[in-house]
Amino acid sequence: MSDLTYVLRQLPRTHDANLLVGDNPADDAAVYRLSDDLALVQTVDFFTPVVDDPFTFGQIAAANSLSDVYAMGGRPLTALNIVGFPITILPAQILADILRGGSDIAASAGVTIVGGHTVDDQEPKYGLAVTGTVHPDRYISSHDARPGDVLVLTKPIGTGVVTTALKAGVAHEAHVSEAVRWMTTLNRSASEAMMATSAHAATDITGFGLLGHLSDLCSASGVSAILDSEAVPLLPGALEYARMGHIPGGTRTNLDFVRNRVSVASGVSDLVLSLLTDAQTSGGLLIAFDPAGAEAFARRAGPEVLAVQVGQIVPGTATAVRVTG
Ligand code: CO
Ligand code: CO
């Protein structure tokens, strides 16, 4: 059990018939029914800078925050800025640039930023509290993946190792800009295509890495999965930086956490395993479809959506993911 799970278990459980999704840590956002055909989707996320440029950081943080609403098939409408900033130490222009980056992404998503809150903080932090809507019968959760489903991933893996290499000053500019391009890409098109093609379950890939989020999805759905490590798309440079040892702390924690929840084929190296658990920022959606749904999704998804089949759901309740090579 993680420290956070231990803390959350001590809180009183909410009993509200209109809270359709909210209790399970595997869920990306809360869903609260307002009427028979309208539910709220609510989520919040914020973190410390992953890139040096403040505007780009604002873009990435905003895209990441909106992602949880997209993962549930919701439409984000409004957002509040959440900011920690050392206002007496760093120039105010840096904060202005972070917020401009956030506004830029919000505008491109059709989301209105309606306010926010800033606290004095030694280390800058930024993100959004997002409110959206979804039909109360038609949201996508992590609970309904079924044996026989195909797993589709919509962005490449490796933002953790690439940004760690960037902090170490060894990342190639082309690799960084490709990682940034994906981190600032909204999961909106993927979400819309998913809603049009009858997905069974979905989650977005963020801090727990591909394997961590997949094993949570399996646990929530009461199924197991087979992940084909060779099919997983990687960012350019990711393998190289992982080999050089630029593994973020969160990735190491993830690897320890999933070790007893996954069985790994002998052909899969620890290096590959570290990428499969790499802590992602603003990662793609991982979606479970029946095979026809996966084909329809690939046809429908726009050019900014990868639609790569990385594995399948199999019967089982042990939440054990089998990684093949
Ligand atoms: Co999420
Ligand atoms: Co989140």
PDB file of all heavy atoms in Angstrom, residues 34-56:
ATOM      1  N   LEU A  34     -25.857  15.796 -12.089  1.00  0.00           N
ATOM      2  CA  LEU A  34     -26.705  16.951 -11.781  1.00  0.00           C
ATOM      3  C   LEU A  34     -28.152  16.678 -12.167  1.00  0.00           C
ATOM      4  O   LEU A  34     -29.082  17.154 -11.529  1.00  0.00           O
ATOM      5  CB  LEU A  34     -26.212  18.191 -12.536  1.00  0.00           C
ATOM      6  CG  LEU A  34     -24.814  18.719 -12.182  1.00  0.00           C
ATOM      7  CD1 LEU A  34     -24.462  19.888 -13.082  1.00  0.00           C
ATOM      8  CD2 LEU A  34     -24.747  19.130 -10.721  1.00  0.00           C
ATOM      9  N   SER A  35     -28.336  15.931 -13.258  1.00  0.00           N
ATOM     10  CA  SER A  35     -29.677  15.596 -13.733  1.00  0.00           C
ATOM     11  C   SER A  35     -29.563  14.308 -14.534  1.00  0.00           C
ATOM     12  O   SER A  35     -28.475  13.747 -14.672  1.00  0.00           O
ATOM     13  CB  SER A  35     -30.233  16.723 -14.619  1.00  0.00           C
ATOM     14  OG  SER A  35     -29.500  16.759 -15.838  1.00  0.00           O
ATOM     15  N   ASP A  36     -30.660  13.831 -15.103  1.00  0.00           N
ATOM     16  CA  ASP A  36     -30.623  12.571 -15.840  1.00  0.00           C
ATOM     17  C   ASP A  36     -29.722  12.624 -17.067  1.00  0.00           C
ATOM     18  O   ASP A  36     -29.274  11.587 -17.552  1.00  0.00           O
ATOM     19  CB  ASP A  36     -32.043  12.165 -16.286  1.00  0.00           C
ATOM     20  CG  ASP A  36     -32.854  11.647 -15.114  1.00  0.00           C
ATOM     21  OD1 ASP A  36     -32.237  11.382 -14.048  1.00  0.00           O
ATOM     22  OD2 ASP A  36     -34.085  11.531 -15.248  1.00  0.00           O
ATOM     23  N   ASP A  37     -29.486  13.805 -17.599  1.00  0.00           N
ATOM     24  CA  ASP A  37     -28.640  13.865 -18.794  1.00  0.00           C
ATOM     25  C   ASP A  37     -27.426  14.782 -18.646  1.00  0.00           C
ATOM     26  O   ASP A  37     -26.798  15.138 -19.643  1.00  0.00           O
ATOM     27  CB  ASP A  37     -29.463  14.229 -20.040  1.00  0.00           C
ATOM     28  CG  ASP A  37     -30.248  15.505 -19.833  1.00  0.00           C
ATOM     29  OD1 ASP A  37     -29.984  16.200 -18.840  1.00  0.00           O
ATOM     30  OD2 ASP A  37     -31.122  15.795 -20.672  1.00  0.00           O
ATOM     31  N   LEU A  38     -27.083  15.134 -17.419  1.00  0.00           N
ATOM     32  CA  LEU A  38     -25.916  16.003 -17.241  1.00  0.00           C
ATOM     33  C   LEU A  38     -25.173  15.672 -15.946  1.00  0.00           C
ATOM     34  O   LEU A  38     -25.773  15.578 -14.878  1.00  0.00           O
ATOM     35  CB  LEU A  38     -26.356  17.473 -17.215  1.00  0.00           C
ATOM     36  CG  LEU A  38     -25.218  18.499 -17.225  1.00  0.00           C
ATOM     37  CD1 LEU A  38     -24.430  18.454 -18.530  1.00  0.00           C
ATOM     38  CD2 LEU A  38     -25.775  19.908 -16.997  1.00  0.00           C
ATOM     39  N   ALA A  39     -23.858  15.485 -16.096  1.00  0.00           N
ATOM     40  CA  ALA A  39     -23.009  15.267 -14.921  1.00  0.00           C
ATOM     41  C   ALA A  39     -21.789  16.171 -15.007  1.00  0.00           C
ATOM     42  O   ALA A  39     -21.319  16.501 -16.103  1.00  0.00           O
ATOM     43  CB  ALA A  39     -22.560  13.805 -14.836  1.00  0.00           C
ATOM     44  N   LEU A  40     -21.285  16.586 -13.841  1.00  0.00           N
ATOM     45  CA  LEU A  40     -20.040  17.344 -13.751  1.00  0.00           C
ATOM     46  C   LEU A  40     -18.859  16.383 -13.761  1.00  0.00           C
ATOM     47  O   LEU A  40     -18.954  15.292 -13.197  1.00  0.00           O
ATOM     48  CB  LEU A  40     -19.968  18.116 -12.437  1.00  0.00           C
ATOM     49  CG  LEU A  40     -20.779  19.381 -12.244  1.00  0.00           C
ATOM     50  CD1 LEU A  40     -20.537  19.903 -10.822  1.00  0.00           C
ATOM     51  CD2 LEU A  40     -20.382  20.421 -13.270  1.00  0.00           C
ATOM     52  N   VAL A  41     -17.765  16.802 -14.383  1.00  0.00           N
ATOM     53  CA  VAL A  41     -16.495  16.071 -14.281  1.00  0.00           C
ATOM     54  C   VAL A  41     -15.500  17.040 -13.651  1.00  0.00           C
ATOM     55  O   VAL A  41     -15.340  18.160 -14.138  1.00  0.00           O
ATOM     56  CB  VAL A  41     -15.965  15.636 -15.665  1.00  0.00           C
ATOM     57  CG1 VAL A  41     -14.717  14.782 -15.506  1.00  0.00           C
ATOM     58  CG2 VAL A  41     -17.029  14.886 -16.435  1.00  0.00           C
ATOM     59  N   GLN A  42     -14.853  16.640 -12.557  1.00  0.00           N
ATOM     60  CA  GLN A  42     -13.955  17.558 -11.850  1.00  0.00           C
ATOM     61  C   GLN A  42     -12.616  16.903 -11.542  1.00  0.00           C
ATOM     62  O   GLN A  42     -12.564  15.744 -11.120  1.00  0.00           O
ATOM     63  CB  GLN A  42     -14.593  18.012 -10.539  1.00  0.00           C
ATOM     64  CG  GLN A  42     -15.795  18.915 -10.756  1.00  0.00           C
ATOM     65  CD  GLN A  42     -16.389  19.349  -9.441  1.00  0.00           C
ATOM     66  OE1 GLN A  42     -17.009  18.561  -8.751  1.00  0.00           O
ATOM     67  NE2 GLN A  42     -16.185  20.595  -9.086  1.00  0.00           N
ATOM     68  N   THR A  43     -11.559  17.663 -11.735  1.00  0.00           N
ATOM     69  CA  THR A  43     -10.223  17.137 -11.469  1.00  0.00           C
ATOM     70  C   THR A  43      -9.258  18.286 -11.182  1.00  0.00           C
ATOM     71  O   THR A  43      -9.523  19.436 -11.566  1.00  0.00           O
ATOM     72  CB  THR A  43      -9.708  16.314 -12.673  1.00  0.00           C
ATOM     73  OG1 THR A  43      -8.405  15.821 -12.370  1.00  0.00           O
ATOM     74  CG2 THR A  43      -9.629  17.148 -13.932  1.00  0.00           C
ATOM     75  N   VAL A  44      -8.178  17.982 -10.498  1.00  0.00           N
ATOM     76  CA  VAL A  44      -7.139  18.990 -10.253  1.00  0.00           C
ATOM     77  C   VAL A  44      -5.767  18.325 -10.333  1.00  0.00           C
ATOM     78  O   VAL A  44      -5.605  17.161  -9.971  1.00  0.00           O
ATOM     79  CB  VAL A  44      -7.341  19.667  -8.876  1.00  0.00           C
ATOM     80  CG1 VAL A  44      -7.351  18.655  -7.740  1.00  0.00           C
ATOM     81  CG2 VAL A  44      -6.298  20.737  -8.630  1.00  0.00           C
ATOM     82  N   ASP A  45      -4.817  19.044 -10.863  1.00  0.00           N
ATOM     83  CA  ASP A  45      -3.457  18.536 -11.006  1.00  0.00           C
ATOM     84  C   ASP A  45      -2.503  19.728 -11.053  1.00  0.00           C
ATOM     85  O   ASP A  45      -2.804  20.725 -11.700  1.00  0.00           O
ATOM     86  CB  ASP A  45      -3.338  17.751 -12.320  1.00  0.00           C
ATOM     87  CG  ASP A  45      -2.645  16.418 -12.117  1.00  0.00           C
ATOM     88  OD1 ASP A  45      -1.744  16.345 -11.276  1.00  0.00           O
ATOM     89  OD2 ASP A  45      -3.014  15.463 -12.815  1.00  0.00           O
ATOM     90  N   PHE A  46      -1.385  19.655 -10.377  1.00  0.00           N
ATOM     91  CA  PHE A  46      -0.348  20.688 -10.525  1.00  0.00           C
ATOM     92  C   PHE A  46       0.993  20.090 -10.133  1.00  0.00           C
ATOM     93  O   PHE A  46       1.050  19.118  -9.383  1.00  0.00           O
ATOM     94  CB  PHE A  46      -0.662  21.944  -9.700  1.00  0.00           C
ATOM     95  CG  PHE A  46      -0.771  21.724  -8.216  1.00  0.00           C
ATOM     96  CD1 PHE A  46       0.255  22.104  -7.357  1.00  0.00           C
ATOM     97  CD2 PHE A  46      -1.913  21.149  -7.676  1.00  0.00           C
ATOM     98  CE1 PHE A  46       0.151  21.911  -5.983  1.00  0.00           C
ATOM     99  CE2 PHE A  46      -2.018  20.949  -6.298  1.00  0.00           C
ATOM    100  CZ  PHE A  46      -0.995  21.331  -5.451  1.00  0.00           C
ATOM    101  N   PHE A  47       2.076  20.646 -10.689  1.00  0.00           N
ATOM    102  CA  PHE A  47       3.405  20.103 -10.395  1.00  0.00           C
ATOM    103  C   PHE A  47       4.494  21.131 -10.654  1.00  0.00           C
ATOM    104  O   PHE A  47       4.213  22.239 -11.117  1.00  0.00           O
ATOM    105  CB  PHE A  47       3.654  18.803 -11.179  1.00  0.00           C
ATOM    106  CG  PHE A  47       3.318  18.872 -12.638  1.00  0.00           C
ATOM    107  CD1 PHE A  47       4.105  19.592 -13.517  1.00  0.00           C
ATOM    108  CD2 PHE A  47       2.207  18.203 -13.131  1.00  0.00           C
ATOM    109  CE1 PHE A  47       3.798  19.645 -14.877  1.00  0.00           C
ATOM    110  CE2 PHE A  47       1.889  18.249 -14.485  1.00  0.00           C
ATOM    111  CZ  PHE A  47       2.692  18.970 -15.355  1.00  0.00           C
ATOM    112  N   THR A  48       5.724  20.723 -10.341  1.00  0.00           N
ATOM    113  CA  THR A  48       6.888  21.602 -10.515  1.00  0.00           C
ATOM    114  C   THR A  48       7.353  21.555 -11.974  1.00  0.00           C
ATOM    115  O   THR A  48       7.035  20.618 -12.698  1.00  0.00           O
ATOM    116  CB  THR A  48       8.032  21.139  -9.582  1.00  0.00           C
ATOM    117  OG1 THR A  48       8.306  19.758  -9.879  1.00  0.00           O
ATOM    118  CG2 THR A  48       7.649  21.259  -8.128  1.00  0.00           C
ATOM    119  N   PRO A  49       8.106  22.576 -12.404  1.00  0.00           N
ATOM    120  CA  PRO A  49       8.497  22.659 -13.822  1.00  0.00           C
ATOM    121  C   PRO A  49       9.236  21.421 -14.335  1.00  0.00           C
ATOM    122  O   PRO A  49      10.108  20.882 -13.646  1.00  0.00           O
ATOM    123  CB  PRO A  49       9.410  23.886 -13.862  1.00  0.00           C
ATOM    124  CG  PRO A  49       8.926  24.738 -12.742  1.00  0.00           C
ATOM    125  CD  PRO A  49       8.516  23.772 -11.667  1.00  0.00           C
ATOM    126  N   VAL A  50       8.872  20.975 -15.536  1.00  0.00           N
ATOM    127  CA  VAL A  50       9.559  19.860 -16.188  1.00  0.00           C
ATOM    128  C   VAL A  50      10.457  20.352 -17.318  1.00  0.00           C
ATOM    129  O   VAL A  50      11.272  19.597 -17.829  1.00  0.00           O
ATOM    130  CB  VAL A  50       8.560  18.822 -16.768  1.00  0.00           C
ATOM    131  CG1 VAL A  50       7.923  18.015 -15.648  1.00  0.00           C
ATOM    132  CG2 VAL A  50       7.493  19.495 -17.618  1.00  0.00           C
ATOM    133  N   VAL A  51      10.287  21.617 -17.705  1.00  0.00           N
ATOM    134  CA  VAL A  51      11.153  22.231 -18.727  1.00  0.00           C
ATOM    135  C   VAL A  51      11.549  23.622 -18.223  1.00  0.00           C
ATOM    136  O   VAL A  51      10.919  24.157 -17.311  1.00  0.00           O
ATOM    137  CB  VAL A  51      10.434  22.358 -20.093  1.00  0.00           C
ATOM    138  CG1 VAL A  51      10.179  20.991 -20.712  1.00  0.00           C
ATOM    139  CG2 VAL A  51       9.137  23.149 -19.962  1.00  0.00           C
ATOM    140  N   ASP A  52      12.590  24.213 -18.821  1.00  0.00           N
ATOM    141  CA  ASP A  52      13.070  25.511 -18.352  1.00  0.00           C
ATOM    142  C   ASP A  52      12.172  26.667 -18.777  1.00  0.00           C
ATOM    143  O   ASP A  52      11.985  27.616 -18.027  1.00  0.00           O
ATOM    144  CB  ASP A  52      14.485  25.767 -18.908  1.00  0.00           C
ATOM    145  CG  ASP A  52      15.509  24.824 -18.294  1.00  0.00           C
ATOM    146  OD1 ASP A  52      15.261  24.371 -17.156  1.00  0.00           O
ATOM    147  OD2 ASP A  52      16.525  24.540 -18.950  1.00  0.00           O
ATOM    148  N   ASP A  53      11.645  26.601 -19.991  1.00  0.00           N
ATOM    149  CA  ASP A  53      10.882  27.724 -20.518  1.00  0.00           C
ATOM    150  C   ASP A  53       9.521  27.837 -19.807  1.00  0.00           C
ATOM    151  O   ASP A  53       8.721  26.904 -19.837  1.00  0.00           O
ATOM    152  CB  ASP A  53      10.673  27.536 -22.024  1.00  0.00           C
ATOM    153  CG  ASP A  53       9.875  28.679 -22.611  1.00  0.00           C
ATOM    154  OD1 ASP A  53      10.343  29.823 -22.515  1.00  0.00           O
ATOM    155  OD2 ASP A  53       8.769  28.426 -23.119  1.00  0.00           O
ATOM    156  N   PRO A  54       9.263  28.993 -19.139  1.00  0.00           N
ATOM    157  CA  PRO A  54       8.033  29.104 -18.339  1.00  0.00           C
ATOM    158  C   PRO A  54       6.747  28.988 -19.161  1.00  0.00           C
ATOM    159  O   PRO A  54       5.770  28.377 -18.695  1.00  0.00           O
ATOM    160  CB  PRO A  54       8.152  30.475 -17.665  1.00  0.00           C
ATOM    161  CG  PRO A  54       9.319  31.162 -18.255  1.00  0.00           C
ATOM    162  CD  PRO A  54      10.136  30.163 -18.996  1.00  0.00           C
ATOM    163  N   PHE A  55       6.735  29.562 -20.360  1.00  0.00           N
ATOM    164  CA  PHE A  55       5.529  29.485 -21.196  1.00  0.00           C
ATOM    165  C   PHE A  55       5.220  28.017 -21.547  1.00  0.00           C
ATOM    166  O   PHE A  55       4.086  27.557 -21.437  1.00  0.00           O
ATOM    167  CB  PHE A  55       5.742  30.316 -22.474  1.00  0.00           C
ATOM    168  CG  PHE A  55       4.555  30.336 -23.391  1.00  0.00           C
ATOM    169  CD1 PHE A  55       3.502  31.219 -23.184  1.00  0.00           C
ATOM    170  CD2 PHE A  55       4.487  29.462 -24.488  1.00  0.00           C
ATOM    171  CE1 PHE A  55       2.394  31.231 -24.029  1.00  0.00           C
ATOM    172  CE2 PHE A  55       3.396  29.473 -25.334  1.00  0.00           C
ATOM    173  CZ  PHE A  55       2.347  30.353 -25.110  1.00  0.00           C
ATOM    174  N   THR A  56       6.275  27.300 -21.944  1.00  0.00           N
ATOM    175  CA  THR A  56       6.101  25.886 -22.294  1.00  0.00           C
ATOM    176  C   THR A  56       5.657  25.070 -21.085  1.00  0.00           C
ATOM    177  O   THR A  56       4.787  24.197 -21.199  1.00  0.00           O
ATOM    178  CB  THR A  56       7.425  25.310 -22.850  1.00  0.00           C
ATOM    179  OG1 THR A  56       7.881  26.156 -23.894  1.00  0.00           O
ATOM    180  CG2 THR A  56       7.242  23.902 -23.371  1.00  0.00           C
TER     181      THR A  56
END
